[in-house]
Amino acid sequence: MLSTIGGLGEFALIARVTSQFPATDDVILGPGDDAAVVAAPDGRTVATTDVLVEGRHFRREWSSARDVGHRAVAQNFADVAAMGARPTGLLIGFAAPPDLPVDWADGFSAGVRDECAVAGGAVVGGDMVGSDTLTIAITALGDLQGRAPVRRDGARPGDVVAYTGHLGLSAAGLALLRGGIDGPAACLAEHRRPSPPYAEGVAAARLGATAMLDVSDGLAQDLGHLCRAGGVLIDLDSRSLVPEPALVAGVRALGVPPDGAEQAARDLMVAGGEDHALVAAFDPGTALPEHWHRIGRVHSADQDEVRKAVNPVTVDGCAPPRGGWDHFRQG
């Protein structure tokens, strides 16, 4: 019976899990009391939340427990980084069936611990309940360190659009898993364990980014949010969208002919999601590090033009490839 979380029991499971999570200097009072206390030296706290449901956001036959732990942290701390903040704290709501193996909970906790070590935050508390469906809810916190948050509504006409991180690998990885294809390891790994460039959120804020977000639902779809928030249009330059070799190999493994693989890979960069790259707008005179790739420009528009546009983002002046994620339209 002790091989399942039901046999182990709630309080023993809590003790077992929380023992894996080290504290950081941001944690004044961690797990174990009625609530945690996290330092907020800036006087403001960046906060975001997300939910992962088995069968919709992950599958145990595709991803290990450790993978899911990494993903749960990554997609939340990426949102913190996209505000120009440094990750500090994480609260986890864990709802699971009683027959879930204890080993799965251990693996999940190890993935959370290891991704927190990369991002720089710490688990400060949470809750555990029984549920027929394995569900994980995350609340992430961050520190602006005295800077203004980098919002979605600040892009100005003439700004350049640039990204850092990976684009398209996760979408290719998901397609490979759905097709039962043991494709390029980089594609599968990026889907299972996204690798957001956390530190680049703070770096972009220091460089004067006027707007920023993380690419969770597809580059064109996410940049559309930035356009609507700021009342602008964005045109991407396809020549600047250079796919990684692993992405080209991934689309070829999916059956795309060699002569069409590069374009198919570029389409995934624009329409795929869940890599959690960071994309931002900058003054055109900004000296960007080489790992920030300039891919487009912000253009002026009237509000009616932005509001009526099917997508205010174009590629070489044309509509982008269809794609992107909508939780209420896709399974």
Side-chain angles (χ1 to χ4, degrees), residues 39-60:
D42 178 84
R44 300 165 297 172
T45 299
V46 172
T48 185
T49 191
D50 212 344
V51 177
L52 292 85
V53 179
E54 183 179 15
R56 188 167 185 84
H57 303 103
F58 66 92
R59 297 187 186 181
R60 276 188 266 172

Side-chain angles (χ1 to χ4, degrees), residues 312-323:
V313 177
T314 54
V315 180
D316 300 333
C318 300
R322 296 186 65 182

Side-chain angles (χ1 to χ4, degrees), residues 21-294:
F21 302 139
T24 65
D25 291 342
D26 296 300
V27 183
I28 298 170
L29 181 62
D33 219 303
D34 289 319
V37 181
V38 181
D42 178 84
R44 300 165 297 172
T45 299
V46 172
T48 185
T49 191
D50 212 344
V51 177
L52 292 85
V53 179
E54 183 179 15
R56 188 167 185 84
H57 303 103
F58 66 92
R59 297 187 186 181
R60 276 188 266 172
E61 64 267 30
W62 289 352
S63 299
S64 70
R66 204 159 187 150
D67 292 336
V68 178
H70 278 275
R71 169 181 281 275
V73 176
Q75 66 186 56
N76 283 275
F77 274 155
D79 283 332
V80 170
M83 299 299 293
R86 177 182 65 85
T88 56
L90 205 71
L91 295 151
I92 302 177
F94 189 82
D99 62 355
L100 184 75
V102 170
D103 286 349
W104 200 95
D106 285 343
F108 172 78
S109 303
V112 168
R113 177 200 64 210
D114 292 348
E115 192 65 27
C116 281
V118 174
V123 175
V124 298
D127 189 26
M128 291 183 178
V129 298
S131 170
D132 292 337
T133 302
L134 179 56
T135 303
I136 299 151
I138 304 286
T139 296
L141 309 174
D143 175 24
L144 288 165
Q145 300 174 305
R147 294 180 298 274
V150 185
R151 297 167 42 156
R152 295 182 176 188
D153 62 359
R156 303 166 302 202
D159 283 353
V160 297
V161 177
Y163 83 92
T164 187
H166 302 291
L167 287 177
L169 289 180
S170 180
L174 176 59
L176 290 164
L177 288 168
R178 283 177 168 165
I181 302 169
D182 188 15
C187 296
L188 299 175
E190 195 63 27
H191 179 71
R192 289 171 171 146
R193 300 187 185 185
S195 53
Y198 302 111
E200 292 305 315
V202 170
R206 289 174 174 162
L207 285 168
T210 56
M212 182 161 54
L213 38 65
D214 85 305
V215 183
S216 56
D217 298 327
L219 178 65
Q221 183 160 296
D222 284 327
L223 282 176
H225 303 320
L226 189 151
C227 289
R228 293 184 180 93
V232 295
L233 301 174
I234 286 176
D235 186 49
L236 301 176
D237 178 3
S238 64
R239 294 169 300 178
S240 300
L241 292 163
V242 181
E244 298 177 47
L247 178 55
V248 177
V251 299
R252 291 188 65 178
L254 288 164
V256 177
D259 60 354
E262 182 133 347
Q263 183 58 53
R266 191 176 291 114
D267 288 348
L268 277 182
M269 292 179 70
V270 175
E274 294 194 310
D275 291 287
H276 299 285
L278 294 178
V279 62
F282 297 91
D283 182 272
T286 305
L288 295 176
E290 63 180 12
H291 52 268
W292 277 93
H293 310 286
R294 297 174 183 244

